[in-house]
Coordinates of all heavy atoms in Angstrom, one line a residue:
M1 N 45.7 130.2 113.6 CA 46.2 131.3 114.3 C 46.4 132.5 113.4 O 46.2 133.6 113.8 CB 47.6 130.8 115.0 CG 48.1 131.8 116.1 SD 47.0 131.9 117.4 CE 47.7 133.3 118.4
G2 N 47.0 132.2 112.2 CA 47.1 133.2 111.2 C 45.8 134.0 110.9 O 45.8 135.2 110.7
R3 N 44.8 133.2 110.7 CA 43.5 133.8 110.4 C 42.9 134.7 111.5 O 42.4 135.7 111.2 CB 42.5 132.7 110.1 CG 41.2 133.1 109.5 CD 40.3 131.9 109.2 NE 40.5 131.3 107.9 CZ 39.8 130.4 107.3 NH1 38.8 129.9 107.9 NH2 40.1 129.9 106.0
L4 N 43.1 134.2 112.8 CA 42.7 135.0 113.9 C 43.4 136.3 114.0 O 42.8 137.5 114.1 CB 43.0 134.2 115.2 CG 42.5 134.9 116.5 CD1 41.0 134.9 116.5 CD2 43.0 134.2 117.7
L5 N 44.8 136.3 113.7 CA 45.5 137.6 113.7 C 45.0 138.5 112.5 O 44.9 139.7 112.7 CB 47.0 137.3 113.5 CG 47.7 136.9 114.7 CD1 49.2 136.5 114.3 CD2 47.8 138.1 115.7
L6 N 44.6 137.9 111.4 CA 44.1 138.6 110.2 C 42.8 139.3 110.7 O 42.6 140.6 110.4 CB 43.9 137.7 109.1 CG 43.6 138.4 107.8 CD1 44.7 139.1 107.2 CD2 43.0 137.3 106.7
I7 N 41.9 138.6 111.3 CA 40.6 139.1 111.8 C 40.9 140.3 112.8 O 40.2 141.3 112.6 CB 39.7 138.0 112.4 CG1 39.3 137.1 111.2 CG2 38.5 138.6 113.1 CD1 38.7 135.7 111.7
I8 N 41.8 140.0 113.7 CA 42.1 141.1 114.7 C 42.6 142.4 114.0 O 42.2 143.5 114.2 CB 43.0 140.6 115.8 CG1 42.4 139.5 116.7 CG2 43.6 141.7 116.6 CD1 43.3 138.7 117.6
G9 N 43.5 142.1 113.0 CA 44.1 143.2 112.2 C 43.0 144.0 111.4 O 43.1 145.2 111.5
I10 N 42.1 143.3 110.9 CA 41.0 143.9 110.2 C 40.1 144.7 111.1 O 39.8 145.9 110.9 CB 40.2 142.9 109.3 CG1 40.9 142.3 108.2 CG2 38.9 143.5 108.9 CD1 40.4 141.1 107.5
F11 N 39.8 144.1 112.2 CA 39.0 144.9 113.2 C 39.7 146.1 113.7 O 39.1 147.2 113.8 CB 38.7 144.0 114.4 CG 37.4 143.2 114.3 CD1 37.4 141.9 113.9 CD2 36.1 143.9 114.4 CE1 36.2 141.2 113.8 CE2 35.0 143.2 114.3 CZ 34.9 141.9 114.0
F12 N 41.0 146.0 113.9 CA 41.8 147.2 114.4 C 41.8 148.2 113.3 O 41.7 149.4 113.6 CB 43.3 146.6 114.6 CG 44.2 147.8 115.1 CD1 44.0 148.3 116.4 CD2 45.2 148.3 114.2 CE1 44.8 149.3 116.8 CE2 45.9 149.3 114.7 CZ 45.9 149.9 115.9
L13 N 42.0 147.8 112.1 CA 42.0 148.8 110.9 C 40.7 149.5 110.8 O 40.5 150.8 110.6 CB 42.3 148.2 109.6 CG 43.8 147.9 109.4 CD1 44.0 147.1 108.1 CD2 44.7 149.2 109.3
V14 N 39.5 148.7 111.0 CA 38.1 149.3 110.9 C 37.9 150.2 112.1 O 37.4 151.3 111.9 CB 37.1 148.1 111.0 CG1 35.7 148.7 111.2 CG2 37.2 147.3 109.7
W15 N 38.4 149.9 113.3 CA 38.3 150.7 114.5 C 39.0 152.1 114.2 O 38.5 153.1 114.5 CB 38.8 149.9 115.7 CG 38.7 150.7 116.9 CD1 37.6 151.0 117.6 CD2 39.8 151.3 117.7 NE1 37.9 151.8 118.7 CE2 39.2 151.9 118.8 CE3 41.1 151.3 117.5 CZ2 40.0 152.6 119.8 CZ3 42.0 152.0 118.4 CH2 41.4 152.6 119.6
V16 N 40.3 151.9 113.8 CA 41.1 153.1 113.5 C 40.5 154.0 112.4 O 40.3 155.2 112.7 CB 42.6 152.7 113.1 CG1 43.4 154.0 112.6 CG2 43.3 152.1 114.3
G17 N 40.0 153.4 111.4 CA 39.3 154.1 110.3 C 38.0 154.8 110.8 O 37.8 156.0 110.5
Y18 N 37.3 154.1 111.7 CA 36.1 154.7 112.2 C 36.3 155.8 113.1 O 35.7 156.9 112.9 CB 35.3 153.5 113.0 CG 34.1 154.0 113.8 CD1 33.0 154.3 113.2 CD2 34.3 154.2 115.2 CE1 31.9 154.8 113.9 CE2 33.2 154.7 116.0 CZ 32.1 155.0 115.3 OH 31.0 155.5 116.1
R19 N 37.4 155.7 113.9 CA 37.8 156.8 114.8 C 38.2 157.9 114.0 O 37.9 159.2 114.4 CB 38.9 156.3 115.8 CG 38.3 155.5 117.0 CD 39.3 155.5 118.1 NE 39.6 156.8 118.5 CZ 40.1 157.1 119.7 NH1 40.3 156.2 120.6 NH2 40.4 158.3 120.1
F20 N 39.1 157.8 112.9 CA 39.5 158.8 112.1 C 38.3 159.6 111.5 O 38.3 160.8 111.5 CB 40.5 158.2 111.1 CG 41.0 159.2 110.1 CD1 41.9 160.1 110.5 CD2 40.4 159.3 108.8 CE1 42.4 161.1 109.5 CE2 40.9 160.2 107.9 CZ 41.9 161.1 108.3
L21 N 37.4 158.8 110.9 CA 36.2 159.5 110.1 C 35.4 160.3 111.2 O 35.0 161.3 110.9 CB 35.4 158.3 109.5 CG 36.0 157.9 108.1 CD1 35.1 156.7 107.6 CD2 36.1 158.9 107.1
K22 N 35.2 159.6 112.4 CA 34.4 160.2 113.4 C 35.1 161.6 113.8 O 34.3 162.6 113.9 CB 34.2 159.3 114.6 CG 33.1 159.6 115.4 CD 33.1 158.6 116.7 CE 32.2 159.3 117.8 NZ 32.3 158.5 118.9
N23 N 36.3 161.5 114.1 CA 37.0 162.8 114.4 C 36.9 163.8 113.4 O 36.8 164.9 113.6 CB 38.5 162.5 114.8 CG 38.6 161.8 116.1 OD1 37.7 161.8 117.0 ND2 39.8 161.2 116.4
T24 N 37.2 163.4 112.1 CA 37.2 164.3 111.0 C 35.8 164.9 110.8 O 35.7 166.1 110.7 CB 37.5 163.6 109.6 OG1 38.8 162.8 109.9 CG2 37.7 164.5 108.5
W25 N 34.8 164.0 110.8 CA 33.4 164.6 110.7 C 32.9 165.5 111.8 O 32.4 166.5 111.5 CB 32.4 163.4 110.6 CG 32.3 163.0 109.1 CD1 32.8 161.8 108.6 CD2 31.7 163.7 108.0 NE1 32.6 161.8 107.2 CE2 31.9 162.9 106.8 CE3 31.1 164.9 107.9 CZ2 31.5 163.3 105.6 CZ3 30.7 165.4 106.6 CH2 30.9 164.5 105.5
S26 N 33.3 165.1 113.0 CA 32.9 166.0 114.2 C 33.6 167.3 114.1 O 33.0 168.3 114.5 CB 33.0 165.2 115.5 OG 34.4 165.0 115.7
A27 N 34.8 167.2 113.6 CA 35.6 168.5 113.5 C 35.0 169.3 112.4 O 34.8 170.6 112.5 CB 37.0 168.2 113.1
R28 N 34.6 168.8 111.3 CA 33.9 169.5 110.2 C 32.6 170.0 110.7 O 32.4 171.2 110.4 CB 33.7 168.6 109.0 CG 34.8 168.4 108.1 CD 34.4 167.7 106.8 NE 35.6 167.3 106.0 CZ 35.6 166.5 105.0 NH1 34.4 166.2 104.5 NH2 36.7 166.2 104.4
I29 N 31.9 169.2 111.4 CA 30.5 169.7 111.8 C 30.7 170.8 112.8 O 30.0 171.9 112.8 CB 29.7 168.6 112.4 CG1 29.2 167.6 111.3 CG2 28.4 169.0 113.2 CD1 28.8 166.2 111.8
K30 N 31.6 170.7 113.6 CA 32.0 171.8 114.6 C 32.4 173.1 113.9 O 31.9 174.2 114.3 CB 33.0 171.4 115.6 CG 32.9 172.0 116.9 CD 34.0 171.6 118.0 CE 33.9 172.4 119.1 NZ 35.1 173.1 119.4
A31 N 33.2 172.9 112.9 CA 33.7 174.1 112.1 C 32.5 174.8 111.4 O 32.4 176.0 111.4 CB 34.7 173.6 111.1
I32 N 31.6 173.9 110.9 CA 30.3 174.5 110.2 C 29.5 175.2 111.2 O 29.0 176.3 111.1 CB 29.6 173.4 109.4 CG1 30.4 172.9 108.2 CG2 28.2 173.9 109.0 CD1 30.0 171.6 107.6
E33 N 29.3 174.6 112.4 CA 28.4 175.1 113.4 C 29.0 176.4 114.0 O 28.3 177.4 114.3 CB 28.3 174.1 114.6 CG 27.2 173.1 114.2 CD 27.1 172.1 115.4 OE1 27.9 172.0 116.2 OE2 26.2 171.3 115.2
D34 N 30.4 176.5 114.1 CA 31.1 177.7 114.5 C 30.9 178.9 113.5 O 30.8 180.0 113.9 CB 32.6 177.5 114.8 CG 32.8 176.7 116.0 OD1 31.8 176.5 116.8 OD2 33.9 176.2 116.2
Q35 N 30.9 178.5 112.2 CA 30.8 179.5 111.1 C 29.5 180.1 111.1 O 29.3 181.3 110.9 CB 31.2 178.9 109.8 CG 32.7 178.9 109.6 CD 33.1 178.1 108.2 OE1 32.2 177.6 107.7 NE2 34.3 178.0 108.0
E36 N 28.4 179.2 111.2 CA 27.0 179.7 110.9 C 26.5 180.8 111.8 O 26.0 181.7 111.3 CB 26.0 178.5 110.9 CG 26.0 177.8 109.6 CD 25.1 176.6 109.6 OE1 24.7 176.2 110.6 OE2 24.9 176.1 108.5
P37 N 26.7 180.8 113.1 CA 26.2 181.8 114.0 C 26.9 183.2 113.6 O 26.3 184.2 113.6 CB 26.5 181.4 115.3 CG 26.7 180.0 115.2 CD 27.3 179.8 113.9
K38 N 28.2 183.1 113.3 CA 29.0 184.3 113.0 C 28.4 185.0 111.7 O 28.1 186.2 111.7 CB 30.5 184.0 112.6 CG 31.2 183.8 114.0 CD 32.7 183.4 113.7 CE 33.4 183.0 115.0 NZ 34.7 182.4 114.7
T39 N 28.1 184.2 110.7 CA 27.6 184.7 109.4 C 26.3 185.3 109.6 O 26.0 186.4 109.2 CB 27.5 183.6 108.3 OG1 28.1 182.4 108.7 CG2 28.2 184.1 107.0
S40 N 25.4 184.6 110.4 CA 24.1 185.0 110.5 C 24.0 186.4 111.4 O 23.2 187.3 111.1 CB 23.1 184.1 111.2 OG 23.6 183.7 112.4
S41 N 25.0 186.5 112.4 CA 25.0 187.7 113.2 C 25.5 188.9 112.4 O 25.1 190.0 112.6 CB 25.8 187.4 114.5 OG 27.2 187.3 114.2
Q42 N 26.6 188.5 111.4 CA 27.1 189.6 110.6 C 26.0 190.2 109.6 O 25.9 191.3 109.5 CB 28.3 189.0 109.8 CG 29.5 189.1 110.5 CD 30.7 188.4 109.8 OE1 30.4 187.7 108.8 NE2 31.8 188.4 110.3
Q43 N 25.2 189.3 109.1 CA 24.0 189.7 108.3 C 23.1 190.4 109.1 O 22.5 191.5 108.7 CB 23.4 188.4 107.6 CG 24.2 187.9 106.6 CD 23.6 186.5 106.1 OE1 22.8 185.9 106.7 NE2 24.0 186.1 104.9
H44 N 22.8 190.0 110.3 CA 21.9 190.7 111.3 C 22.4 192.1 111.5 O 21.6 193.1 111.4 CB 21.8 189.9 112.6 CG 20.9 190.5 113.6 ND1 19.6 190.4 113.5 CD2 21.2 191.3 114.6 CE1 19.1 191.0 114.6 NE2 20.1 191.6 115.3
K45 N 23.7 192.3 111.7 CA 24.3 193.6 112.0 C 24.1 194.5 110.8 O 23.8 195.7 110.9 CB 25.7 193.5 112.3 CG 25.9 193.1 113.8 CD 27.4 193.1 114.1 CE 27.6 192.6 115.6 NZ 29.1 192.5 115.9
I46 N 24.3 193.9 109.6 CA 24.3 194.7 108.3 C 22.9 195.2 108.1 O 22.6 196.3 107.6 CB 24.9 193.9 107.1 CG1 26.4 193.7 107.3 CG2 24.6 194.6 105.8 CD1 27.0 192.6 106.5
Q47 N 22.0 194.3 108.4 CA 20.6 194.5 108.1 C 19.9 195.5 109.0 O 18.9 196.2 108.7 CB 19.7 193.3 108.1 CG 20.0 192.4 106.8 CD 19.4 191.1 107.0 OE1 18.9 190.7 108.0 NE2 19.5 190.3 105.9
N48 N 20.4 195.7 110.3 CA 19.8 196.5 111.2 C 20.7 197.7 111.7 O 21.1 197.7 112.8 CB 19.3 195.7 112.5 CG 18.3 194.7 112.1 OD1 17.1 195.0 111.7 ND2 18.7 193.4 112.1
I49 N 21.0 198.5 110.8 CA 21.6 199.8 111.1 C 20.6 200.8 111.5 O 19.6 201.0 110.7 CB 22.5 200.2 110.0 CG1 23.5 199.2 109.6 CG2 23.2 201.5 110.3 CD1 24.7 198.9 110.5
K50 N 20.7 201.5 112.7 CA 19.7 202.4 113.0 C 20.4 203.8 113.4 O 21.6 203.8 113.8 CB 19.0 202.0 114.3 CG 17.9 201.0 114.0 CD 17.1 200.7 115.2 CE 15.7 200.3 114.8 NZ 14.7 200.3 116.0
A51 N 19.7 204.9 113.3 CA 20.2 206.1 113.6 C 20.0 206.6 115.0 O 18.9 206.3 115.6 CB 19.6 207.2 112.7
C52 N 20.9 207.0 115.8 CA 20.8 207.6 117.1 C 19.8 208.7 117.1 O 20.0 209.6 116.3 CB 22.1 207.9 117.7 SG 22.0 208.8 119.4
A53 N 18.8 208.7 118.0 CA 17.8 209.8 118.1 C 18.3 211.1 118.5 O 17.8 212.1 118.2 CB 16.7 209.4 119.0
Y54 N 19.6 211.1 119.1 CA 20.1 212.3 119.7 C 21.2 212.9 118.6 O 21.1 214.0 118.3 CB 20.8 211.9 121.0 CG 21.4 213.2 121.6 CD1 20.5 214.1 122.3 CD2 22.8 213.4 121.7 CE1 21.0 215.2 122.9 CE2 23.3 214.6 122.3 CZ 22.4 215.5 123.0 OH 22.9 216.6 123.5
C55 N 22.3 212.0 118.2 CA 23.3 212.6 117.3 C 23.2 212.1 115.9 O 24.0 212.5 115.1 CB 24.6 212.1 117.9 SG 25.0 210.4 117.8
K56 N 22.2 211.3 115.6 CA 21.9 210.8 114.2 C 23.0 209.9 113.6 O 23.1 209.7 112.5 CB 21.7 212.0 113.2 CG 20.6 213.0 113.7 CD 19.3 212.5 113.9 CE 18.3 213.5 114.4 NZ 17.0 213.0 114.9
T57 N 23.9 209.4 114.5 CA 24.9 208.5 114.0 C 24.3 207.1 113.8 O 23.5 206.6 114.5 CB 26.0 208.4 115.2 OG1 26.6 209.6 115.4 CG2 27.1 207.4 114.7
H58 N 24.7 206.6 112.6 CA 24.2 205.2 112.3 C 25.1 204.2 112.9 O 26.2 204.0 112.5 CB 24.1 205.1 110.7 CG 22.9 205.9 110.2 ND1 23.0 207.3 110.0 CD2 21.7 205.5 109.8 CE1 21.8 207.8 109.6 NE2 21.0 206.7 109.4
I59 N 24.5 203.3 113.6 CA 25.3 202.2 114.2 C 24.4 200.9 114.3 O 23.2 201.0 114.2 CB 25.8 202.4 115.7 CG1 24.7 202.8 116.6 CG2 26.8 203.6 115.6 CD1 25.1 202.4 118.1
P60 N 25.0 199.7 114.4 CA 24.3 198.4 114.4 C 23.3 198.5 115.6 O 23.6 198.9 116.7 CB 25.3 197.4 114.5 CG 26.5 197.9 114.0 CD 26.4 199.4 114.2
E61 N 22.0 198.0 115.3 CA 21.0 198.0 116.4 C 21.4 197.2 117.7 O 21.1 197.8 118.7 CB 19.8 197.3 115.8 CG 18.6 197.5 116.6 CD 17.3 196.8 116.1 OE1 17.4 196.2 115.0 OE2 16.3 197.0 116.7
D62 N 22.2 196.1 117.5 CA 22.5 195.4 118.7 C 23.7 196.0 119.5 O 24.1 195.6 120.6 CB 22.8 193.9 118.4 CG 23.9 193.8 117.3 OD1 24.3 194.8 116.7 OD2 24.2 192.5 117.0
E63 N 24.3 197.2 119.0 CA 25.3 197.8 119.7 C 24.8 199.1 120.5 O 25.4 199.8 121.2 CB 26.4 198.2 118.8 CG 27.3 197.1 118.4 CD 28.5 197.4 117.4 OE1 28.8 198.6 117.4 OE2 28.8 196.6 116.6
G64 N 23.5 199.3 120.2 CA 22.9 200.6 120.8 C 21.8 200.3 121.8 O 21.7 199.0 122.2
I65 N 21.1 201.1 122.2 CA 20.0 201.1 123.2 C 18.6 201.4 122.7 O 18.7 202.6 122.1 CB 20.3 201.8 124.6 CG1 21.7 201.5 125.0 CG2 19.3 201.5 125.6 CD1 22.7 202.6 124.9
T66 N 17.7 200.7 122.8 CA 16.3 201.1 122.4 C 15.5 201.4 123.6 O 15.4 200.6 124.6 CB 15.7 199.9 121.6 OG1 16.5 199.6 120.4 CG2 14.3 200.4 121.1
R67 N 14.9 202.5 123.7 CA 14.2 203.0 124.9 C 12.9 203.7 124.3 O 13.1 204.7 123.6 CB 15.0 203.9 125.8 CG 14.3 204.4 127.1 CD 14.1 203.2 128.0 NE 15.3 202.5 128.5 CZ 16.0 202.9 129.5 NH1 15.9 204.0 130.2 NH2 17.2 202.2 129.8
D68 N 11.7 203.3 124.8 CA 10.4 203.9 124.3 C 10.4 204.1 122.8 O 9.8 205.0 122.3 CB 10.2 205.2 125.0 CG 10.2 205.1 126.6 OD1 9.8 204.1 127.0 OD2 10.6 206.0 127.2
G69 N 10.9 203.0 122.0 CA 10.7 203.1 120.6 C 11.7 203.9 120.0 O 11.7 204.0 118.8
L70 N 12.6 204.5 120.7 CA 13.7 205.3 120.2 C 15.0 204.7 120.4 O 15.2 203.9 121.3 CB 13.7 206.7 120.9 CG 12.6 207.6 120.6 CD1 12.5 208.8 121.7 CD2 12.6 208.3 119.2
F71 N 15.9 205.0 119.4 CA 17.2 204.2 119.4 C 18.3 205.2 119.7 O 18.3 206.3 119.2 CB 17.4 203.6 118.0 CG 18.7 202.8 117.9 CD1 18.8 201.6 118.6 CD2 19.8 203.4 117.2 CE1 20.0 200.9 118.5 CE2 21.0 202.7 117.1 CZ 21.1 201.5 117.8
F72 N 19.2 204.7 120.6 CA 20.4 205.6 120.9 C 21.7 204.8 120.8 O 21.8 203.6 121.0 CB 20.2 206.0 122.4 CG 19.0 206.9 122.7 CD1 17.8 206.3 123.0 CD2 18.9 208.3 122.4 CE1 16.6 207.0 123.3 CE2 17.8 208.9 122.6 CZ 16.6 208.4 123.0
C73 N 22.8 205.5 120.4 CA 24.1 204.9 120.3 C 24.7 204.7 121.6 O 25.6 203.8 121.7 CB 25.0 205.8 119.5 SG 25.5 207.4 120.2
S74 N 24.3 205.3 122.7 CA 25.0 205.1 124.0 C 24.1 205.5 125.1 O 23.0 206.4 124.8 CB 26.2 205.9 124.1 OG 26.0 207.3 124.0
Y75 N 24.3 205.1 126.3 CA 23.5 205.5 127.5 C 23.7 207.0 127.7 O 22.7 207.7 128.2 CB 23.8 204.7 128.7 CG 23.2 203.4 128.7 CD1 24.0 202.4 128.5 CD2 21.8 203.2 129.0 CE1 23.4 201.0 128.5 CE2 21.3 202.0 129.1 CZ 22.1 200.9 128.8 OH 21.5 199.7 128.8
Q76 N 24.8 207.6 127.4 CA 25.1 209.1 127.5 C 24.0 209.8 126.6 O 23.5 210.8 127.0 CB 26.5 209.3 127.0 CG 27.1 210.6 127.6 CD 28.5 210.9 127.1 OE1 29.1 209.9 126.6 NE2 28.9 212.1 127.2
H77 N 23.9 209.4 125.4 CA 22.9 210.1 124.5 C 21.5 209.9 124.9 O 20.6 210.7 124.7 CB 23.2 209.7 123.1 CG 24.4 210.4 122.5 ND1 24.8 210.2 121.2 CD2 25.2 211.3 123.1 CE1 25.9 211.0 121.0 NE2 26.1 211.7 122.1
L78 N 21.2 208.7 125.5 CA 19.9 208.4 126.0 C 19.5 209.3 127.1 O 18.5 210.0 127.1 CB 19.8 207.0 126.4 CG 18.6 206.5 127.3 CD1 17.3 206.6 126.6 CD2 18.8 205.2 127.9
D79 N 20.5 209.6 128.1 CA 20.3 210.5 129.1 C 20.2 212.0 128.6 O 19.3 212.7 129.0 CB 21.5 210.4 130.1 CG 21.4 209.1 130.9 OD1 20.4 208.5 130.9 OD2 22.5 208.7 131.4
S80 N 21.1 212.3 127.6 CA 21.1 213.7 127.1 C 19.8 213.9 126.4 O 19.2 215.1 126.6 CB 22.3 213.8 126.1 OG 23.5 213.6 126.7
Y81 N 19.3 213.0 125.6 CA 18.0 213.1 124.9 C 16.8 213.4 125.9 O 16.0 214.3 125.7 CB 17.8 211.9 124.1 CG 16.4 212.0 123.2 CD1 16.4 212.6 122.0 CD2 15.2 211.5 123.7 CE1 15.3 212.7 121.2 CE2 14.2 211.5 122.9 CZ 14.2 212.2 121.7 OH 13.0 212.3 121.0
L82 N 16.8 212.5 127.0 CA 15.7 212.6 127.9 C 15.8 213.9 128.7 O 14.7 214.5 129.0 CB 15.8 211.4 128.9 CG 15.5 210.0 128.2 CD1 15.7 208.9 129.2 CD2 14.0 210.0 127.7
E83 N 17.0 214.3 129.0 CA 17.2 215.6 129.7 C 16.7 216.8 128.9 O 16.0 217.7 129.2 CB 18.7 215.9 130.1 CG 19.1 215.3 131.4 CD 20.6 215.5 131.6 OE1 21.2 216.6 131.3 OE2 21.3 214.5 132.1
H84 N 17.1 216.7 127.6 CA 16.8 217.7 126.6 C 15.2 217.8 126.4 O 14.6 218.9 126.3 CB 17.4 217.4 125.2 CG 17.2 218.5 124.2 ND1 17.9 219.6 124.2 CD2 16.5 218.6 123.1 CE1 17.7 220.5 123.3 NE2 16.8 219.8 122.5
K85 N 14.7 216.6 126.4 CA 13.1 216.5 126.2 C 12.4 217.0 127.4 O 11.4 217.6 127.3 CB 12.8 215.0 125.9 CG 11.5 214.7 125.3 CD 11.3 213.2 125.1 CE 9.9 212.9 124.8 NZ 9.6 211.5 124.9
A86 N 12.9 216.8 128.6 CA 12.3 217.2 129.8 C 12.3 218.7 130.0 O 11.3 219.2 130.6 CB 13.0 216.5 131.0
K87 N 13.3 219.3 129.4 CA 13.4 220.8 129.6 C 12.3 221.6 128.8 O 11.9 221.1 127.7 CB 14.8 221.3 129.1 CG 15.8 221.1 130.3 CD 17.2 221.4 129.9 CE 18.2 221.0 131.0 NZ 19.6 221.1 130.5
Ligands
ZN1 ZN1 24.2 209.3 119.7

């Protein structure tokens, strides 16, 4: 009977240990996965600074608008540029 309890105790400890490790590792992997896209998007932003074709302001490419190969900081400047060009 004592041996059975010992075996059950060992299984319980292994199970608790397994669950603890599994939670720790999944939390770590999740933390790493959460960090990676942020870092790559930050590098992406730093690498792709473009000048607005209208006001020449330099802003990250993914925050502006690209139209017909030209880059604009806002839709307002896209419209202003097209109006100016049309005249
Ligand atoms: Zn602009």
Side-chain angles (χ1 to χ4, degrees):
M1 194 60 192
R3 190 176 272 187
L4 185 68
L5 278 174
L6 186 70
I7 290 164
I8 291 166
I10 289 165
F11 269 105
F12 180 74
L13 282 174
V14 168
W15 180 72
V16 168
Y18 170 75
R19 281 200 57 159
F20 175 75
L21 281 176
K22 202 183 163 192
N23 286 340
T24 309
W25 274 108
S26 60
R28 272 191 197 175
I29 289 163
K30 206 177 175 243
I32 291 163
E33 280 175 350
D34 284 348
Q35 279 175 355
E36 275 179 351
K38 282 180 190 168
T39 351
S40 63
S41 69
Q42 277 172 350
Q43 283 172 346
H44 179 78
K45 278 182 185 176
I46 291 162
Q47 283 168 356
N48 293 295
I49 301 289
K50 281 191 153 190
C52 172
Y54 186 76
C55 67
K56 310 296 177 195
T57 301
H58 287 77
I59 61 157
E61 190 177 4
D62 53 355
E63 285 179 26
I65 308 110
T66 305
R67 183 69 59 89
D68 300 329
L70 291 163
F71 182 74
F72 299 94
C73 66
S74 61
Y75 280 106
Q76 203 183 339
H77 282 179
L78 168 64
D79 289 341
S80 300
Y81 182 87
L82 293 176
E83 273 178 39
H84 188 74
K85 201 182 164 189
K87 279 174 189 169

